[in-house]
């Protein structure tokens, strides 16, 4: 990921996103204050890590009662969210594309999946989960018309490399690539390659290591 | 992730998994040797990083011709894979569960999705993408009978916390949780919480930062 323009580490950004989801769920359940060690415990990390992350973004807590849940949510919003909603397009409306769309719909985030692209005639020009699906040929035109800044790639892996040029030409600023083909984009486009196989192989590796250790 | 038992960093393990997929694809195309900077370029990282990762696992290259692709694949296999195939179960056969299953089927990995679990009567006791789907009530029994060591959670988020006890009781050793509910497991179970929202919010954050930087 190209990240020359900021001071907050990537991992802290990830955790802020995770803290916020937990805090929103606490808030919904009527919890008004939370201690760092409680928040940490819910994420399987140390209280020191939570305090360090919040210190990095300049948030300090009332230590007697813990963090004010609502104030902390607002504070994280100020860090993570842009002022206006950011529009997202999903490329490839197979199972993964549909899972992602369903997942985001109605979550009230500052990110909104506004349309999808596919080449399957059964999907093109139809509406899937309330999201219009267009032919990939129309990518540039639709991205411009709908003011889309982020593309999620959930196409078959073999298709992924053919998407790089249309994405650049359309002026997309951020890419989240779920296929197995790592994609490189020019500077100025934030790109994250995320292959599910990698994480599953990582879990398998540590299971194997843990087994071998127990056998000793 | 609990990783007290090994010496190779998590990030290196992730990259080894990624290198291997690229190398397999090169091998398929008849490429016999590859230089570190070429492999690095395909992953958008530096040659130094590639060499450091391979040094960590004790692999050295013929620098004149680059790495022998086939030998390096075998070497990474030796690090990542267990001797026997590891069986995986998917909990929740919605779009995400089906995407993951389809993705893995027939990839010839040392990880094999052997069954799925759901509570939807339309799915239970049927076969989805050649994978039998059982009722979640039978989790312990089936995990034991099929010798399953890894569980992938792709259920609705609200269901995820109820899966912790069955997973512990069934003797599962590794968990990959895709829901928004972070789950904690006792020591001895390798668990990775992976929420798609987090990664998308991270990309959005860096797009925003990059925009603000350009506006200055």
């Amino acid at each position: 990921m190209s990240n020359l323009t900021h001071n907050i580490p990537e991992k802290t950004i990830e955790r802020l996103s995770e803290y916020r989801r937990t805090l929103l769920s606490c808030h919904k359940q009527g919890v008004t204050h939370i201690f760092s060690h409680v928040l940490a415990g819910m994420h399987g990390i140390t209280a020191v890590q939570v305090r360090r992350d919040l210190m990095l973004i300049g948030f300090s807590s009332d230590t007697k009662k813990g963090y004010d849940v609502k104030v902390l949510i607002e504070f994280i919003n100020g860090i993570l969210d842009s002022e206006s909603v950011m529009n997202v397009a999903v490329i490839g409306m197979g199972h993964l594309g549909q899972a992602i769309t369903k997942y985001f719909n109605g979550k009230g985030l500052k990110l909104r999946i506004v349309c999808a692209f596919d080449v399957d005639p059964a999907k093109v020009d139809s509406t899937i989960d309330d999201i219009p699906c267009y032919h990939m040929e129309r990518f540039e035109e639709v991205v411009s018309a709908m003011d889309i800044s982020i593309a999620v790639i959930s196409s078959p892996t073999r298709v992924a490399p053919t998407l790089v040029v249309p994405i650049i030409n359309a002026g997309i600023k951020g890419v989240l690539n779920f296929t197995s083909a790592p994609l490189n984009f020019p500077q100025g486009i934030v790109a994250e390659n995320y292959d599910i196989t990698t994480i599953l192989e990582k879990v398998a590796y540590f299971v194997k290591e843990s087994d071998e250790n127990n056998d000793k």
Side-chain angles (χ1 to χ4, degrees), chain A residues 16-41:
Chain A
L16 288 173
S17 162
E18 290 163 0
Y19 298 157
R20 178 165 66 177
R21 271 193 303 288
T22 302
L23 291 165
L24 283 167
S25 151
C26 290
H27 178 63
K28 227 169 136 184
Q29 288 163 46
V31 176
T32 60
H33 289 77
I34 192 165
F35 287 107
S36 57
H37 68 269
V38 176
L39 187 56

Side-chain angles (χ1 to χ4, degrees), chain A residues 89-155:
Chain A
V90 172
I91 306 177
M93 268 311 243
H95 282 301
L96 184 59
Q98 289 187 50
I100 293 166
T101 306
K102 263 215 166 71
Y103 191 84
F104 267 80
N105 270 357
K107 276 230 174 167
L109 298 166
K110 280 280 187 155
L111 285 167
R112 195 174 48 182
I113 296 177
V114 291
C115 72
F117 295 90
D118 210 299
V119 291
D120 178 356
K123 286 171 187 160
V124 167
D125 294 329
S126 72
T127 299
I128 304 170
D129 294 327
D130 298 327
I131 300 291
C133 183
Y134 301 105
H135 196 284
M136 193 57 205
E137 279 173 357
R138 295 181 59 194
F139 189 70
E140 257 186 82
E141 166 208 342
V142 175
V143 163
S144 163
M146 295 185 92
D147 190 26
I148 290 164
S149 40
I150 295 177
V152 172
I153 304 180
S154 47
S155 70

Side-chain angles (χ1 to χ4, degrees), chain A residues 6-80:
Chain A
H6 66 98
N7 304 307
I8 308 175
E10 270 188 59
K11 282 284 161 197
T12 295
I13 296 296
E14 286 182 20
R15 281 190 297 267
L16 288 173
S17 162
E18 290 163 0
Y19 298 157
R20 178 165 66 177
R21 271 193 303 288
T22 302
L23 291 165
L24 283 167
S25 151
C26 290
H27 178 63
K28 227 169 136 184
Q29 288 163 46
V31 176
T32 60
H33 289 77
I34 192 165
F35 287 107
S36 57
H37 68 269
V38 176
L39 187 56
M42 293 167 94
H43 292 273
I45 57 175
T46 65
V48 171
Q49 181 70 72
V50 169
R51 289 198 293 263
R52 195 182 292 147
D53 286 335
L54 297 185
M55 208 184 299
L56 268 173
I57 60 169
F59 187 83
S60 55
S61 97
D62 173 358
T63 48
K64 277 218 179 132
K65 290 164 78 183
Y67 302 122
D68 183 311
V69 171
K70 213 171 152 223
V71 172
L72 181 50
I73 290 170
E74 294 293 334
F75 202 91
I76 296 177
N77 287 350
I79 301 288
L80 293 186

Side-chain angles (χ1 to χ4, degrees), chain A residues 178-199:
Chain A
F178 282 106
T179 76
S180 285
L183 301 179
N184 290 318
F185 289 92
Q187 231 181 344
I189 298 180
V190 175
E192 182 89 351
N193 292 302
Y194 183 75
D195 184 346
I196 289 168
T197 326
T198 303
I199 306 300

